[in-house]
Amino acid sequence: MATNSALRSDPDWWRGAVIYQIYPRSYQDSDGDGIGDLQGIIQRLPHVAKLGADAVWISPIFKSPMLDFGYDITDYCDIDPMFGTLADFDALIERAHELGIRVLIDLVISHTSDQHPWFKESRSSRDNPKSNWYVWAEPSPDGTPPNNWLSIFGGPAWEWDSERLQYYMHNFLTQQPDLNFHEPEVQDALLNTARFWLDRGVDGFRLDTINFYFHDEELRSNPPLAPEDRDYSTAPAVNPYNHQDHLFDKSRPEMTGFLRRLRALMNEYTDTAAVGEVGDAQRGMQIMGEYTRGDDLMHMCYAFEFLAPDAPTGRRVGEVLQKFSKVAADGWACWAFSNHDVERHSSRWNLDEDMLRVYLALMLSLRGSVCLYQGEELGLREADVPFEALQDPYGKRFWPKFKGRDGCRTPMVWQKDNSNGGFSQSKPWLPVSADHVNAAVEVQEGDPASMLSFYRDMIAWRKDHAVLAKGEFEVRDIGDGHVAFVRTMPGESMFCAFNLMKSPLTVSLPDGEWEQVAAPGFEAQIEHGMAHLDGGQAFFARQKTNQNSGGNNG
């Protein structure tokens, strides 16, 4: 860690943190090749600091053939020249810490590229030192794959290898073979990778597809899933991956043993944290609970409850919160509405500006930490990327019913008077949306009514009220168009109500004496123990101190 760091030591900094996700290819191009890079991120870190984020999560920057844009890795311990050098990365860490921002990097260890030296050795024979480092299997008697497992990116999760005369498993692209976590040497090698980056000063990791690490050693086929039980939060409806109950290809019980080893390693370093991505449409919340239970596993996890296609109703939000309190009572959640893998929530849920604001206020009032995705602070909608400009292999596979992930990955817009939005002096790797340019940072900067100003104000407001981030909660009132709950910690209780409809709403305050707390951008009235909210409004009230018991309300 840099000696001029502005960070204060706090082992619990991650509890309630606001984490800002940067997709490096699309954040800022500093060298004119049309692709974002580490020096570009360094240039724009003051924007993150001014937003009020506690940390950045940087999507993969390791050496890669880029078939899945960095999620197919050939060297875990070096930077791809497309993004810069290790020296650039060290400079990024130093600058972030100067600004009081912690740095999490995307650790993608469920699979590698098929060009990784480990896989090249593993496939060379059945008795080489790394022969068991990947998931190899004999064909069925008729030559077909060993079971019915499917790849998220389409087709079977098995690819025939003509060198070993066996199938290898891949949960994603055929060029992304899965590592065999049942092999202790694989675990050791990956933990050494984590140590390499911790030694360089990273503050932790975002763990990609954390529940995909282990598979069933017996290679049992997954059972079918009834059509009425299918959930499209992890994969789009056009993908037959949703037709299976994924009991055996992922989310296996052995996972907690590896997480304990990783947590023990991270505990050797000061103030580190990790957030795991749980991709499971059927049991995501339960898995979050399993992986964050106690203090020797994951610090926090996020699932896909709020990354789903449909806008969460008040009833849905209440159900998620209540379920989390049951299955993960001592765990910690990290909430997100958008990321690099899903359509931007402004478009996905068809939200206007008022609704975008009330949903942000809602997310910033939930117990847990928060992930924001670059550009959402500008209110950006999903960009329309024509097929001829498409880069994402996932989108090409399921076009046109599913257009892939490029629409949320288009370049960040900084300036209005630049054909590329201030992102690059050259043609960007994905086109800059003309609509986005009108919402560029420089357009919104200094406008107190802009979405950018609102994000800054709400994040600052959350930090001023620790009860919102870390307090206990009790759901008090839910309906399709609203949700209300009480947040409580010793010495403070906060009542929070959110009107997710266009029509007015009246909610009753809990028993006791409450005084309204002004929140940025929201207007509501309190009268005779009732809060009156117009459409798309949030309301907050603090229990008066002479009524405060210091414990859970209700």
Side-chain angles (χ1 to χ4, degrees), residues 54-129:
D54 301 287
V56 290
W57 145 30
I58 301 176
S59 290
I61 49 178
F62 315 107
K63 283 190 173 180
S64 166
M66 298 293 165
L67 296 181
D68 191 21
F69 301 103
Y71 285 86
D72 49 325
I73 294 169
T74 55
D75 188 342
Y76 282 112
C77 296
D78 203 358
I79 304 296
D80 193 284
M82 174 185 298
F83 299 122
T85 65
L86 281 169
D88 292 330
F89 181 80
D90 293 341
L92 189 158
I93 292 283
E94 181 173 6
R95 180 58 175 147
H97 288 174
E98 286 176 0
L99 294 169
I101 302 169
R102 301 181 195 269
V103 178
L104 309 181
I105 61 171
D106 216 326
L107 206 59
V108 188
I109 56 177
S110 71
H111 53 267
T112 69
S113 165
D114 62 357
Q115 299 304 305
H116 197 293
W118 296 349
F119 187 71
K120 290 182 176 180
E121 181 176 351
S122 185
R123 79 190 313 180
S124 66
S125 70
R126 298 191 184 192
D127 57 2
N128 65 78

Side-chain angles (χ1 to χ4, degrees), residues 419-442:
S419 60
N420 297 323
F423 165 72
S424 177
Q425 296 301 313
S426 304
K427 181 181 178 181
W429 74 286
L430 281 174
V432 174
S433 168
D435 292 337
H436 287 185
V437 171
N438 294 323
V441 171
E442 74 165 8

Side-chain angles (χ1 to χ4, degrees), residues 203-230:
D203 302 288
F205 307 104
R206 180 264 190 181
L207 294 162
D208 183 64
T209 58
I210 189 172
N211 58 312
F212 283 70
Y213 292 2
F214 283 86
H215 66 285
D216 175 47
E217 287 191 286
E218 298 178 34
L219 302 183
R220 288 172 285 184
S221 286
N222 288 324
L225 196 63
E228 62 270 19
D229 293 332
R230 292 173 191 165

Side-chain angles (χ1 to χ4, degrees), residues 315-332:
R315 194 174 306 281
R316 175 62 174 157
V317 171
E319 290 171 350
V320 168
L321 297 177
Q322 290 170 327
K323 185 174 183 181
F324 187 79
S325 68
K326 293 178 181 177
V327 302
D330 63 345
W332 197 259

